[in-house]
Amino acid sequence: MIEKMESKKFEEILEDIDIETEAPVEEPMRQYYFIKKARKYVNELSKKLGRPLYACTKTFGCQMNARDSEKLVGILERIGYVEEPEEDKADFVIYNTCTVRENANLRVYGRLGQLNRVKKKNPHMMIGLCGCMMQEPEVVEKLKKSYRFVDLIFGTHNIYKFAELIVTRMESGRMVIDIWKDTDKIVEDLPSERKYSFKSGVNIMFGCNNFCSYCIVPYVRGRERSRNPKDIIREVERLVADGVVEVMLLGQNVNSYGKNLKEPMSFAGLLQEIEKIEGLERIRFMTSHPKDLSDELIDVMAHSGKICRHLHLPVQSGSTQILEKMNRRYTKEQYLALVEKIRAAVPDIALTTDIIVGFPGETEEDFQETLDVVRKVRYDSAFTFQYSKRTGTPAAVMEDQIPADVVKDRFDRLLKEVQSISAEKCSVYTDTVQNVLVETVNDHDDTLLTGRMSNNLLVHFPGDVSLIGKLVDVRLKECHGFYYMGEMIR
Ligand code: 5AD
Ligand code: SF4
Protein backbone atom coordinates (compact mmCIF):
# COMPACT_ATOMS: atom_id res chain seq x y z
CA MET A 1 0.00 0.00 0.00
CA ILE A 2 1.14 3.49 -0.68
CA GLU A 3 0.61 5.50 2.48
CA LYS A 4 0.99 9.23 3.05
CA MET A 5 4.74 9.19 3.48
CA GLU A 6 5.19 7.77 0.04
CA SER A 7 2.87 10.15 -1.76
CA LYS A 8 5.81 12.21 -3.04
CA LYS A 9 7.23 9.18 -4.76
CA PHE A 10 3.78 8.38 -6.10
CA GLU A 11 3.53 11.86 -7.64
CA GLU A 12 6.89 11.35 -9.31
CA ILE A 13 5.64 8.13 -10.90
CA LEU A 14 2.50 9.91 -12.10
CA GLU A 15 4.58 12.66 -13.68
CA ASP A 16 6.19 10.15 -16.03
CA ILE A 17 2.86 8.76 -17.23
CA ASP A 18 1.50 10.03 -20.54
CA ILE A 19 -2.30 9.87 -20.49
CA GLU A 20 -2.50 10.72 -24.19
CA THR A 21 -1.17 7.25 -25.05
CA GLU A 22 -2.85 3.86 -24.47
CA ALA A 23 -3.19 2.59 -20.89
CA PRO A 24 -0.40 0.23 -19.75
CA VAL A 25 -1.41 -3.41 -19.35
CA GLU A 26 0.58 -4.18 -16.21
CA GLU A 27 -0.73 -3.46 -12.69
CA PRO A 28 -0.40 -1.30 -10.70
CA MET A 29 0.89 1.04 -13.48
CA ARG A 30 -2.39 0.71 -15.32
CA GLN A 31 -4.27 2.08 -12.31
CA TYR A 32 -1.74 4.89 -11.82
CA TYR A 33 -2.51 5.88 -15.43
CA PHE A 34 -6.24 5.97 -14.70
CA ILE A 35 -5.73 7.91 -11.50
CA LYS A 36 -3.95 10.58 -13.52
CA LYS A 37 -6.64 10.57 -16.16
CA ALA A 38 -9.49 10.79 -13.62
CA ARG A 39 -7.62 13.61 -11.91
CA LYS A 40 -7.73 15.57 -15.15
CA TYR A 41 -11.53 15.17 -15.39
CA VAL A 42 -12.04 16.04 -11.74
CA ASN A 43 -9.88 19.15 -12.16
CA GLU A 44 -11.84 20.28 -15.18
CA LEU A 45 -15.19 19.90 -13.43
CA SER A 46 -13.86 21.55 -10.30
CA LYS A 47 -12.72 24.58 -12.34
CA LYS A 48 -16.12 24.79 -13.98
CA LEU A 49 -17.91 24.71 -10.62
CA GLY A 50 -15.36 27.01 -8.97
CA ARG A 51 -14.99 24.71 -5.95
CA PRO A 52 -13.40 21.41 -4.99
CA LEU A 53 -15.27 18.15 -5.64
CA TYR A 54 -16.30 16.18 -2.57
CA ALA A 55 -16.50 12.42 -2.09
CA CYS A 56 -18.26 10.47 0.64
CA THR A 57 -17.50 6.81 1.33
CA LYS A 58 -19.96 4.86 3.49
CA THR A 59 -18.92 1.48 4.80
CA PHE A 60 -21.20 -1.33 5.92
CA GLY A 61 -20.13 -4.66 7.40
CA CYS A 62 -16.91 -6.00 8.76
CA GLN A 63 -13.28 -4.94 9.26
CA MET A 64 -12.46 -6.34 5.85
CA ASN A 65 -14.82 -3.84 4.28
CA ALA A 66 -13.44 -1.04 6.48
CA ARG A 67 -9.97 -1.78 5.11
CA ASP A 68 -11.29 -1.93 1.53
CA SER A 69 -12.85 1.49 2.07
CA GLU A 70 -9.48 2.93 3.03
CA LYS A 71 -8.30 1.80 -0.39
CA LEU A 72 -11.29 3.49 -2.03
CA VAL A 73 -10.63 6.72 -0.12
CA GLY A 74 -6.92 6.54 -1.03
CA ILE A 75 -7.80 6.39 -4.72
CA LEU A 76 -10.49 9.08 -4.47
CA GLU A 77 -8.11 11.47 -2.74
CA ARG A 78 -5.39 10.95 -5.29
CA ILE A 79 -7.90 11.58 -8.05
CA GLY A 80 -8.55 14.95 -6.42
CA TYR A 81 -11.72 14.51 -4.41
CA VAL A 82 -11.90 16.03 -0.94
CA GLU A 83 -13.35 13.75 1.74
CA GLU A 84 -16.83 14.75 2.94
CA PRO A 85 -18.63 12.89 5.73
CA GLU A 86 -22.16 13.88 4.64
CA GLU A 87 -23.53 12.19 1.55
CA ASP A 88 -25.95 15.06 0.76
CA LYS A 89 -23.01 17.39 0.24
CA ALA A 90 -20.88 15.06 -1.88
CA ASP A 91 -20.31 14.98 -5.63
CA PHE A 92 -19.38 11.31 -5.45
CA VAL A 93 -21.00 8.90 -3.01
CA ILE A 94 -19.84 5.33 -2.73
CA TYR A 95 -21.40 2.62 -0.59
CA ASN A 96 -19.18 -0.31 0.27
CA THR A 97 -21.86 -2.85 1.05
CA CYS A 98 -22.25 -5.98 3.18
CA THR A 99 -24.67 -8.81 2.56
CA VAL A 100 -24.05 -11.15 5.46
CA ARG A 101 -27.60 -10.68 6.74
CA GLU A 102 -30.63 -9.57 4.78
CA ASN A 103 -31.25 -6.35 6.70
CA ALA A 104 -27.84 -5.10 5.53
CA ASN A 105 -29.21 -5.23 1.96
CA LEU A 106 -32.50 -3.58 2.91
CA ARG A 107 -30.66 -0.66 4.45
CA VAL A 108 -28.74 -0.03 1.25
CA TYR A 109 -31.92 0.07 -0.86
CA GLY A 110 -33.48 2.49 1.63
CA ARG A 111 -30.54 4.85 1.54
CA LEU A 112 -30.32 4.70 -2.24
CA GLY A 113 -33.89 6.00 -2.44
CA GLN A 114 -32.85 9.04 -0.41
CA LEU A 115 -29.73 9.57 -2.52
CA ASN A 116 -31.81 9.63 -5.67
CA ARG A 117 -33.64 12.67 -4.35
CA VAL A 118 -30.32 14.42 -3.70
CA LYS A 119 -29.03 13.52 -7.15
CA LYS A 120 -32.08 15.08 -8.79
CA LYS A 121 -31.02 18.43 -7.33
CA ASN A 122 -27.36 17.86 -8.15
CA PRO A 123 -27.29 16.09 -11.55
CA HIS A 124 -23.51 15.80 -11.89
CA MET A 125 -23.45 13.74 -8.67
CA MET A 126 -22.12 10.20 -9.11
CA ILE A 127 -23.23 7.21 -7.08
CA GLY A 128 -21.09 4.09 -6.78
CA LEU A 129 -21.88 0.75 -5.17
CA CYS A 130 -19.35 -1.94 -4.40
CA GLY A 131 -18.63 -4.70 -1.92
CA CYS A 132 -20.20 -8.00 -1.01
CA MET A 133 -23.82 -7.24 -1.87
CA MET A 134 -22.83 -6.49 -5.47
CA GLN A 135 -21.54 -10.05 -5.87
CA GLU A 136 -25.15 -11.28 -5.78
CA PRO A 137 -26.58 -11.47 -9.32
CA GLU A 138 -30.18 -10.73 -8.13
CA VAL A 139 -28.99 -7.51 -6.53
CA VAL A 140 -27.34 -6.29 -9.73
CA GLU A 141 -30.46 -7.20 -11.72
CA LYS A 142 -32.62 -5.21 -9.34
CA LEU A 143 -30.29 -2.20 -9.52
CA LYS A 144 -30.21 -2.33 -13.33
CA LYS A 145 -33.98 -2.37 -13.44
CA SER A 146 -35.11 -0.06 -10.68
CA TYR A 147 -32.09 2.05 -9.70
CA ARG A 148 -30.93 3.45 -13.03
CA PHE A 149 -29.48 6.55 -11.35
CA VAL A 150 -26.59 4.50 -9.96
CA ASP A 151 -23.42 5.24 -11.96
CA LEU A 152 -20.95 2.58 -10.99
CA ILE A 153 -21.29 -1.00 -9.72
CA PHE A 154 -18.41 -3.30 -8.92
CA GLY A 155 -17.69 -6.14 -6.52
CA THR A 156 -15.14 -7.40 -4.04
CA HIS A 157 -12.58 -8.79 -6.50
CA ASN A 158 -11.77 -5.68 -8.51
CA ILE A 159 -11.62 -2.85 -5.99
CA TYR A 160 -8.12 -2.15 -7.27
CA LYS A 161 -9.72 -1.09 -10.59
CA PHE A 162 -11.69 1.74 -8.97
CA ALA A 163 -9.84 4.53 -10.83
CA GLU A 164 -10.25 2.76 -14.15
CA LEU A 165 -13.97 2.28 -13.55
CA ILE A 166 -14.42 5.94 -12.63
CA VAL A 167 -12.73 6.95 -15.90
CA THR A 168 -14.93 4.53 -17.87
CA ARG A 169 -17.99 6.09 -16.28
CA MET A 170 -16.79 9.64 -16.90
CA GLU A 171 -15.97 8.95 -20.54
CA SER A 172 -19.05 6.88 -21.39
CA GLY A 173 -21.66 8.75 -19.37
CA ARG A 174 -23.39 5.39 -18.81
CA MET A 175 -23.94 3.07 -15.87
CA VAL A 176 -20.78 0.96 -15.53
CA ILE A 177 -21.08 -2.56 -14.12
CA ASP A 178 -18.02 -4.72 -13.54
CA ILE A 179 -18.49 -7.79 -11.35
CA TRP A 180 -16.07 -10.70 -11.28
CA LYS A 181 -17.07 -14.12 -9.99
CA ASP A 182 -13.67 -14.83 -8.46
CA THR A 183 -10.01 -14.02 -8.92
CA ASP A 184 -6.61 -15.27 -7.93
CA LYS A 185 -5.13 -11.84 -8.58
CA ILE A 186 -3.77 -9.73 -5.72
CA VAL A 187 -2.60 -6.27 -6.82
CA GLU A 188 -0.02 -4.68 -4.52
CA ASP A 189 1.10 -1.05 -4.14
CA LEU A 190 -2.13 0.81 -4.62
CA PRO A 191 -2.92 3.98 -2.70
CA SER A 192 -4.76 3.81 0.60
CA GLU A 193 -5.82 6.47 3.08
CA ARG A 194 -5.92 5.30 6.69
CA LYS A 195 -8.77 6.33 8.95
CA TYR A 196 -6.39 6.40 11.93
CA SER A 197 -2.77 7.53 11.71
CA PHE A 198 -1.63 5.13 14.45
CA LYS A 199 -3.44 1.87 13.68
CA SER A 200 -4.30 0.01 10.55
CA GLY A 201 -5.90 -3.13 9.21
CA VAL A 202 -3.68 -5.29 7.04
CA ASN A 203 -5.16 -7.94 4.76
CA ILE A 204 -3.26 -11.17 5.02
CA MET A 205 -5.69 -13.25 2.99
CA PHE A 206 -8.83 -12.88 0.96
CA GLY A 207 -11.83 -15.13 0.50
CA CYS A 208 -13.00 -18.19 2.40
CA ASN A 209 -13.14 -21.94 1.75
CA ASN A 210 -15.20 -23.01 4.73
CA PHE A 211 -18.74 -22.93 3.41
CA CYS A 212 -20.56 -22.72 6.74
CA SER A 213 -24.05 -23.59 5.57
CA TYR A 214 -25.66 -20.27 6.63
CA CYS A 215 -22.97 -18.02 5.22
CA ILE A 216 -22.85 -16.13 1.97
CA VAL A 217 -19.24 -14.99 2.34
CA PRO A 218 -17.59 -17.80 0.33
CA TYR A 219 -19.91 -16.94 -2.57
CA VAL A 220 -19.25 -13.19 -2.48
CA ARG A 221 -15.58 -13.14 -1.47
CA GLY A 222 -14.42 -16.14 -3.50
CA ARG A 223 -11.83 -18.79 -2.73
CA GLU A 224 -9.15 -18.42 -0.11
CA ARG A 225 -5.95 -16.65 -1.27
CA SER A 226 -3.09 -15.72 1.01
CA ARG A 227 -0.88 -12.74 0.41
CA ASN A 228 2.82 -13.34 0.14
CA PRO A 229 4.47 -12.98 3.59
CA LYS A 230 7.09 -10.64 2.10
CA ASP A 231 4.38 -8.26 0.84
CA ILE A 232 2.65 -8.32 4.24
CA ILE A 233 5.86 -7.63 6.16
CA ARG A 234 6.81 -4.85 3.74
CA GLU A 235 3.39 -3.26 4.21
CA VAL A 236 3.61 -3.44 8.01
CA GLU A 237 7.14 -2.01 7.95
CA ARG A 238 5.96 0.90 5.83
CA LEU A 239 2.99 1.47 8.12
CA VAL A 240 5.26 1.53 11.16
CA ALA A 241 7.61 3.98 9.43
CA ASP A 242 4.52 6.13 8.90
CA GLY A 243 3.56 6.16 12.59
CA VAL A 244 1.42 3.05 12.99
CA VAL A 245 1.85 1.22 16.31
CA GLU A 246 -1.00 -1.30 16.09
CA VAL A 247 -1.98 -3.56 13.21
CA MET A 248 -5.03 -5.76 12.82
CA LEU A 249 -4.29 -8.71 10.55
CA LEU A 250 -7.40 -9.43 8.55
CA GLY A 251 -8.78 -12.55 6.94
CA GLN A 252 -12.05 -14.52 6.99
CA ASN A 253 -10.15 -17.39 8.57
CA VAL A 254 -6.65 -16.27 9.57
CA ASN A 255 -5.85 -19.68 11.03
CA SER A 256 -5.64 -21.22 7.60
CA TYR A 257 -3.26 -18.51 6.39
CA GLY A 258 -0.47 -19.63 4.06
CA LYS A 259 -1.79 -23.06 3.15
CA ASN A 260 -2.00 -22.26 -0.55
CA LEU A 261 1.27 -20.33 -0.87
CA LYS A 262 4.07 -21.68 -3.06
CA GLU A 263 6.13 -21.94 0.08
CA PRO A 264 3.51 -22.67 2.72
CA MET A 265 3.71 -20.76 5.98
CA SER A 266 1.52 -21.02 9.04
CA PHE A 267 -0.33 -18.11 10.60
CA ALA A 268 1.73 -18.61 13.77
CA GLY A 269 4.89 -18.36 11.64
CA LEU A 270 3.66 -15.15 10.05
CA LEU A 271 2.89 -13.68 13.49
CA GLN A 272 6.42 -14.43 14.64
CA GLU A 273 7.83 -12.56 11.65
CA ILE A 274 5.57 -9.58 12.24
CA GLU A 275 6.46 -9.55 15.94
CA LYS A 276 10.08 -8.84 14.96
CA ILE A 277 9.22 -5.52 13.30
CA GLU A 278 10.75 -2.83 15.42
CA GLY A 279 8.50 0.03 16.43
CA LEU A 280 5.34 -2.05 16.08
CA GLU A 281 3.75 -2.26 19.52
CA ARG A 282 0.54 -4.23 19.14
CA ILE A 283 -0.75 -6.98 16.90
CA ARG A 284 -4.39 -8.00 16.62
CA PHE A 285 -6.03 -10.42 14.22
CA MET A 286 -9.46 -11.44 13.07
CA THR A 287 -11.20 -13.89 12.49
CA SER A 288 -10.20 -17.26 13.91
CA HIS A 289 -12.09 -20.40 13.00
CA PRO A 290 -11.96 -22.79 15.98
CA LYS A 291 -11.36 -25.85 13.79
CA ASP A 292 -8.06 -24.46 12.50
CA LEU A 293 -6.65 -22.87 15.65
CA SER A 294 -3.32 -24.60 16.20
CA ASP A 295 -1.30 -25.35 19.34
CA GLU A 296 1.52 -23.49 17.62
CA LEU A 297 -0.63 -20.34 17.54
CA ILE A 298 -1.53 -20.67 21.22
CA ASP A 299 2.14 -21.04 22.03
CA VAL A 300 3.11 -18.00 19.98
CA MET A 301 0.39 -15.93 21.65
CA ALA A 302 1.49 -17.06 25.11
CA HIS A 303 5.08 -15.95 24.50
CA SER A 304 4.41 -12.78 22.55
CA GLY A 305 4.97 -9.31 23.91
CA LYS A 306 2.98 -7.69 21.12
CA ILE A 307 -0.03 -9.87 20.35
CA CYS A 308 -2.99 -8.38 22.18
CA ARG A 309 -4.73 -10.32 24.91
CA HIS A 310 -7.88 -10.76 22.89
CA LEU A 311 -9.17 -13.61 20.77
CA HIS A 312 -12.34 -13.50 18.72
CA LEU A 313 -13.44 -17.11 18.44
CA PRO A 314 -16.89 -17.44 16.84
CA VAL A 315 -18.81 -20.40 18.27
CA GLN A 316 -22.06 -19.78 16.31
CA SER A 317 -23.98 -22.41 18.32
CA GLY A 318 -23.46 -24.53 21.42
CA SER A 319 -25.33 -27.54 20.07
CA THR A 320 -23.20 -30.19 18.38
CA GLN A 321 -26.14 -31.20 16.25
CA ILE A 322 -26.64 -27.64 14.98
CA LEU A 323 -22.90 -27.15 14.56
CA GLU A 324 -22.90 -30.16 12.27
CA LYS A 325 -25.75 -28.75 10.20
CA MET A 326 -23.85 -25.46 10.08
CA ASN A 327 -20.83 -27.36 8.71
CA ARG A 328 -18.59 -25.87 11.40
CA ARG A 329 -16.58 -29.08 11.81
CA TYR A 330 -16.21 -29.03 15.61
CA THR A 331 -18.39 -30.24 18.45
CA LYS A 332 -19.48 -28.39 21.57
CA GLU A 333 -16.96 -30.41 23.59
CA GLN A 334 -14.10 -29.71 21.18
CA TYR A 335 -14.84 -25.99 21.33
CA LEU A 336 -14.92 -25.97 25.13
CA ALA A 337 -11.68 -27.97 25.29
CA LEU A 338 -10.04 -25.46 22.94
CA VAL A 339 -11.15 -22.57 25.15
CA GLU A 340 -9.71 -24.32 28.17
CA LYS A 341 -6.40 -24.89 26.40
CA ILE A 342 -6.19 -21.24 25.37
CA ARG A 343 -7.04 -19.99 28.85
CA ALA A 344 -4.47 -22.32 30.43
CA ALA A 345 -1.75 -20.93 28.15
CA VAL A 346 -2.85 -17.28 28.17
CA PRO A 347 -4.78 -16.74 31.41
CA ASP A 348 -5.48 -13.03 30.94
CA ILE A 349 -6.93 -13.40 27.45
CA ALA A 350 -10.28 -11.82 26.63
CA LEU A 351 -12.52 -14.08 24.59
CA THR A 352 -15.25 -12.78 22.31
CA THR A 353 -17.54 -14.62 19.95
CA ASP A 354 -20.33 -14.59 17.36
CA ILE A 355 -23.54 -16.51 18.02
CA ILE A 356 -26.47 -17.18 15.71
CA VAL A 357 -29.88 -18.09 17.10
CA GLY A 358 -32.74 -19.60 15.13
CA PHE A 359 -30.72 -21.66 12.67
CA PRO A 360 -33.08 -24.08 10.82
CA GLY A 361 -34.03 -27.01 13.04
CA GLU A 362 -32.79 -25.36 16.26
CA THR A 363 -34.87 -26.70 19.16
CA GLU A 364 -35.21 -25.23 22.65
CA GLU A 365 -32.76 -27.94 23.80
CA ASP A 366 -30.24 -26.84 21.16
CA PHE A 367 -30.67 -23.26 22.30
CA GLN A 368 -30.09 -24.34 25.91
CA GLU A 369 -26.77 -25.85 24.76
CA THR A 370 -25.81 -22.45 23.39
CA LEU A 371 -26.69 -20.80 26.70
CA ASP A 372 -24.64 -23.49 28.43
CA VAL A 373 -21.56 -22.65 26.35
CA VAL A 374 -22.07 -18.95 27.07
CA ARG A 375 -22.20 -19.67 30.81
CA LYS A 376 -19.21 -22.01 30.70
CA VAL A 377 -16.93 -19.84 28.57
CA ARG A 378 -18.07 -16.54 30.08
CA TYR A 379 -17.27 -14.39 27.07
CA ASP A 380 -15.95 -10.89 27.57
CA SER A 381 -18.37 -9.89 24.89
CA ALA A 382 -20.40 -11.54 22.15
CA PHE A 383 -22.05 -10.46 18.92
CA THR A 384 -25.45 -12.11 18.76
CA PHE A 385 -27.40 -12.53 15.53
CA GLN A 386 -30.78 -13.76 14.51
CA TYR A 387 -30.40 -16.27 11.71
CA SER A 388 -31.00 -14.62 8.36
CA LYS A 389 -31.80 -16.70 5.31
CA ARG A 390 -29.33 -16.04 2.49
CA THR A 391 -30.44 -17.28 -0.91
CA GLY A 392 -27.94 -19.67 -2.45
CA THR A 393 -26.63 -21.05 0.83
CA PRO A 394 -27.43 -24.66 1.86
CA ALA A 395 -29.24 -23.54 5.03
CA ALA A 396 -31.72 -21.47 3.01
CA VAL A 397 -33.37 -24.65 1.73
CA MET A 398 -33.22 -26.63 4.97
CA GLU A 399 -36.45 -27.77 6.56
CA ASP A 400 -37.73 -26.41 9.88
CA GLN A 401 -36.98 -22.75 9.39
CA ILE A 402 -37.74 -21.23 12.80
CA PRO A 403 -40.67 -18.78 13.16
CA ALA A 404 -39.59 -15.17 13.71
CA ASP A 405 -41.22 -14.86 17.16
CA VAL A 406 -39.35 -17.91 18.46
CA VAL A 407 -36.06 -16.57 17.10
CA LYS A 408 -36.70 -13.17 18.67
CA ASP A 409 -37.51 -14.73 22.05
CA ARG A 410 -34.30 -16.81 22.04
CA PHE A 411 -32.32 -13.81 20.88
CA ASP A 412 -33.60 -11.69 23.78
CA ARG A 413 -32.80 -14.38 26.33
CA LEU A 414 -29.33 -14.91 24.89
CA LEU A 415 -28.58 -11.19 24.82
CA LYS A 416 -29.56 -10.82 28.47
CA GLU A 417 -27.25 -13.65 29.49
CA VAL A 418 -24.36 -12.39 27.37
CA GLN A 419 -24.70 -8.85 28.67
CA SER A 420 -24.84 -9.74 32.32
CA ILE A 421 -21.74 -11.94 31.99
CA SER A 422 -19.78 -9.27 30.09
CA ALA A 423 -20.62 -6.65 32.68
CA GLU A 424 -19.29 -8.96 35.41
CA LYS A 425 -16.18 -9.81 33.38
CA CYS A 426 -15.48 -6.19 32.61
CA SER A 427 -15.52 -5.12 36.25
CA VAL A 428 -12.69 -7.41 37.37
CA TYR A 429 -10.08 -4.91 36.20
CA THR A 430 -11.23 -2.15 38.57
CA ASP A 431 -8.26 -0.49 40.30
CA THR A 432 -5.69 -2.10 38.03
CA VAL A 433 -3.32 -0.14 35.79
CA GLN A 434 -3.53 -0.98 32.10
CA ASN A 435 -1.54 0.01 29.07
CA VAL A 436 -3.87 1.82 26.70
CA LEU A 437 -3.57 2.99 23.11
CA VAL A 438 -5.19 6.44 22.96
CA GLU A 439 -7.52 6.46 19.96
CA THR A 440 -9.80 9.51 19.96
CA VAL A 441 -11.22 12.45 21.84
CA ASN A 442 -14.36 11.25 23.64
CA ASP A 443 -17.52 11.70 21.54
CA HIS A 444 -19.53 13.30 24.35
CA ASP A 445 -16.97 15.19 26.40
CA ASP A 446 -13.93 16.74 24.72
CA THR A 447 -11.92 16.94 27.93
CA LEU A 448 -11.77 13.13 27.85
CA LEU A 449 -9.75 10.78 25.69
CA THR A 450 -10.80 7.29 24.68
CA GLY A 451 -8.29 4.47 24.59
CA ARG A 452 -8.28 0.74 24.10
CA MET A 453 -6.62 -1.83 26.31
CA SER A 454 -4.84 -4.89 25.01
CA ASN A 455 -7.97 -6.93 25.81
CA ASN A 456 -10.03 -4.59 23.61
CA LEU A 457 -11.93 -2.87 26.44
CA LEU A 458 -12.40 0.89 26.19
CA VAL A 459 -11.45 3.40 28.84
CA HIS A 460 -12.22 7.13 29.00
CA PHE A 461 -9.93 9.46 30.95
CA PRO A 462 -8.96 13.13 31.13
CA GLY A 463 -6.07 14.04 28.84
CA ASP A 464 -4.79 16.14 26.01
CA VAL A 465 -5.38 15.44 22.30
CA SER A 466 -1.62 15.33 21.74
CA LEU A 467 -1.72 11.87 23.33
CA ILE A 468 -3.74 10.37 20.48
CA GLY A 469 -1.79 7.49 18.97
CA LYS A 470 0.36 7.06 22.09
CA LEU A 471 0.46 4.15 24.52
CA VAL A 472 -0.10 5.31 28.07
CA ASP A 473 -0.76 3.70 31.45
CA VAL A 474 -4.19 4.32 32.90
CA ARG A 475 -5.62 3.41 36.30
CA LEU A 476 -9.13 2.00 35.86
CA LYS A 477 -11.31 3.69 38.44
CA GLU A 478 -14.91 2.80 37.68
CA CYS A 479 -16.45 0.14 35.51
CA HIS A 480 -19.58 1.14 33.59
CA GLY A 481 -20.65 -2.21 32.18
CA PHE A 482 -18.73 -2.22 28.92
CA TYR A 483 -16.13 0.47 29.52
CA TYR A 484 -14.11 2.13 32.25
CA MET A 485 -13.52 5.64 33.50
CA GLY A 486 -9.88 6.06 34.41
CA GLU A 487 -7.00 8.31 35.19
CA MET A 488 -3.72 8.47 33.33
CA ILE A 489 -0.69 7.83 35.46
CA ARG A 490 2.02 7.95 32.81
N1 5AD B 1 -27.53 -15.14 9.57
C1 5AD B 1 -27.16 -14.59 10.75
N2 5AD B 1 -25.89 -14.35 11.09
C2 5AD B 1 -24.94 -14.67 10.19
N3 5AD B 1 -23.60 -14.54 10.24
C3 5AD B 1 -23.10 -14.98 9.07
N4 5AD B 1 -24.07 -15.41 8.27
C4 5AD B 1 -25.24 -15.22 8.94
C5 5AD B 1 -26.60 -15.47 8.65
N5 5AD B 1 -26.98 -16.01 7.48
C6 5AD B 1 -22.88 -14.05 11.41
C7 5AD B 1 -21.92 -15.11 11.92
C8 5AD B 1 -20.58 -14.55 11.53
C9 5AD B 1 -20.83 -13.07 11.61
C10 5AD B 1 -19.86 -12.22 10.88
O1 5AD B 1 -22.11 -12.93 11.05
O2 5AD B 1 -22.05 -15.17 13.32
O3 5AD B 1 -19.55 -14.97 12.39
FE1 SF4 C 1 -17.65 -8.60 5.64
FE2 SF4 C 1 -19.03 -10.80 5.07
FE3 SF4 C 1 -20.28 -8.51 5.24
FE4 SF4 C 1 -18.65 -9.03 3.21
S1 SF4 C 1 -20.57 -10.10 3.69
S2 SF4 C 1 -18.72 -7.13 4.41
S3 SF4 C 1 -17.08 -10.23 4.19
S4 SF4 C 1 -19.28 -9.54 6.91
Side-chain angles (χ1 to χ4, degrees), residues 60-62 64-65 97-100 132 216-217 220-221 252:
F60 303 85
C62 65
M64 202 69 109
N65 259 22
T97 61
C98 171
T99 185
V100 79
C132 297
I216 201 160
V217 171
V220 297
R221 289 256 170 194
Q252 300 298 344

Side-chain angles (χ1 to χ4, degrees), residues 163-423:
E164 181 171 349
L165 295 171
I166 291 178
V167 168
T168 312
R169 167 64 186 80
M170 285 171 162
E171 289 180 345
S172 72
R174 275 192 239 118
M175 187 187 221
V176 171
I177 303 177
D178 191 11
I179 311 282
W180 301 1
K181 274 218 162 66
D182 206 345
T183 183
D184 50 14
K185 197 163 172 167
I186 299 178
V187 178
E188 299 287 344
D189 294 326
L190 283 171
S192 152
E193 195 61 42
R194 293 196 310 277
K195 193 165 168 210
Y196 300 96
S197 61
F198 52 88
K199 69 170 185 176
S200 179
V202 173
N203 298 110
I204 62 165
M205 60 199 301
F206 302 94
C208 180
N209 285 354
N210 285 327
F211 291 96
C212 302
S213 63
Y214 50 81
C215 187
I216 201 160
V217 171
Y219 307 91
V220 297
R221 289 256 170 194
R223 294 293 63 72
E224 205 171 277
R225 321 174 282 290
S226 294
R227 264 178 91 194
N228 211 312
K230 281 204 192 79
D231 290 327
I232 299 172
I233 307 271
R234 191 174 56 141
E235 181 177 344
V236 178
E237 282 171 349
R238 284 182 179 174
L239 287 167
V240 170
D242 199 32
V244 164
V245 291
E246 178 180 299
V247 290
M248 164 81 91
L249 308 178
L250 298 170
Q252 300 298 344
N253 177 14
V254 292
N255 295 316
S256 70
Y257 171 80
K259 286 186 181 150
N260 54 4
L261 286 171
K262 268 201 204 104
E263 290 170 43
M265 179 182 216
S266 68
F267 178 54
L270 177 72
L271 278 172
Q272 282 172 301
E273 289 305 310
I274 295 178
E275 174 111 18
K276 289 183 201 152
I277 298 174
E278 226 168 283
L280 180 66
E281 306 274 357
R282 282 181 165 186
I283 305 169
R284 298 185 185 276
F285 54 83
M286 188 164 261
T287 293
S288 288
H289 194 304
K291 80 175 163 61
D292 297 313
L293 198 141
S294 67
D295 289 352
E296 189 196 6
L297 176 65
I298 298 176
D299 191 54
V300 168
M301 287 186 82
H303 295 100
S304 165
K306 295 187 181 175
I307 301 175
C308 287
R309 280 2 204 176
H310 172 215
L311 183 67
H312 186 63
L313 195 63
V315 64
Q316 311 298 2
S317 167
S319 151
T320 296
Q321 184 200 312
I322 294 295
L323 286 168
E324 200 181 332
K325 283 186 157 183
M326 287 178 162
N327 192 29
R328 292 291 288 174
R329 285 173 277 172
Y330 53 84
T331 62
K332 174 188 183 189
E333 288 70 29
Q334 283 166 335
Y335 182 90
L336 290 173
L338 179 64
V339 165
E340 225 167 89
K341 195 155 66 173
I342 296 164
R343 285 228 167 101
V346 196
D348 55 346
I349 199 154
L351 286 176
T352 58
T353 201
D354 293 341
I355 304 169
I356 299 174
V357 292
F359 185 84
E362 184 187 72
T363 61
E364 177 61 26
E365 289 72 41
D366 292 319
F367 175 65
Q368 287 301 328
E369 297 275 359
T370 298
L371 284 179
D372 187 46
V373 168
V374 166
R375 289 180 191 126
K376 287 200 165 105
V377 177
R378 296 180 54 77
Y379 293 104
D380 291 77
S381 83
F383 295 106
T384 51
F385 304 107
Q386 301 186 25
Y387 168 72
S388 167
K389 189 171 169 176
R390 306 311 288 125
T391 311
T393 62
V397 290
M398 284 182 187
E399 284 171 11
D400 289 334
Q401 301 277 332
I402 310 294
D405 57 333
V406 177
V407 180
K408 176 76 174 63
D409 172 62
R410 288 181 192 161
F411 179 80
D412 291 343
R413 284 187 282 155
L414 175 66
L415 192 64
K416 221 168 124 206
E417 192 70 43
V418 159
Q419 285 179 341
S420 93
I421 294 172
S422 4

